[in-house]
Amino acid sequence: MAGIKGLVSLAFLGSIGMTFVILACALPQYKIWWPFFVVLFYVLCPIPTMIARRHSDSTGGTNSPCMEAAIFITMGFIVSSFALPIVLTRAEAIQLGACCLTIAGNVIVYLTILGFFTIFDMDDSDYTMW
């Protein structure tokens, strides 16, 4: 039952994060959808880690070169999703309020993704003990 509550709370947090990103685009004073491109980074972020977990030789460790390369690529996606609204604000393509809303959405969505992988990685390790 705790897994269902965790999954529901993660879904709620993810929807709050996406609400911030959509507000950064759709509020009447902003009216520009450039910040919505961070959603592409949300989709691409977990892919390298999931691929590396499939092809990793060691169980549970991050010592394999494949896993370290996946973490490096994932961090590149995360840094890019925080840098995009900052660069757009600096180039005066979006306003500062839209940048702040997008960064707040980034924090919430990435914490949700981290929580998802943490919860489901712990479930797998509990089953492998037996």
Side-chain angles (χ1 to χ4, degrees):
M1 188 57 102
I4 293 173
K5 288 181 183 178
L7 191 60
V8 168
S9 55
L10 285 175
F12 181 69
L13 281 176
S15 64
I16 289 174
M18 285 302 300
T19 301
F20 278 132
V21 173
I22 291 170
L23 283 176
C25 301
L27 282 176
Q29 62 264 32
Y30 305 137
K31 291 185 191 173
I32 193 157
W33 287 84
W34 286 111
F36 200 71
F37 278 106
V38 297
V39 174
L40 180 66
F41 294 119
Y42 299 160
V43 172
L44 293 176
C45 174
I47 292 174
T49 307
M50 291 188 317
I51 291 172
R53 283 187 182 179
R54 289 258 186 205
H55 297 295
S56 180
D57 293 333
S58 62
T59 57
T62 60
N63 295 334
S64 71
C66 182
M67 184 59 89
E68 292 194 12
I71 291 172
F72 180 77
I73 293 169
T74 301
M75 286 296 137
F77 287 139
I78 292 172
V79 168
S80 296
S81 70
F82 281 97
L84 179 66
I86 294 170
V87 169
L88 287 173
T89 303
R90 179 87 171 126
E92 296 179 359
I94 64 172
Q95 295 179 13
L96 182 62
C99 176
C100 293
L101 282 171
T102 306
I103 289 175
N106 283 346
V107 169
I108 294 170
V109 167
Y110 283 123
L111 287 176
T112 303
I113 292 172
L114 178 67
F116 178 79
F117 278 108
T118 303
I119 287 173
F120 285 103
D121 191 31
M122 286 188 336
D123 286 344
D124 290 342
S125 65
D126 288 343
Y127 292 130
T128 57
M129 283 184 0
W130 302 103

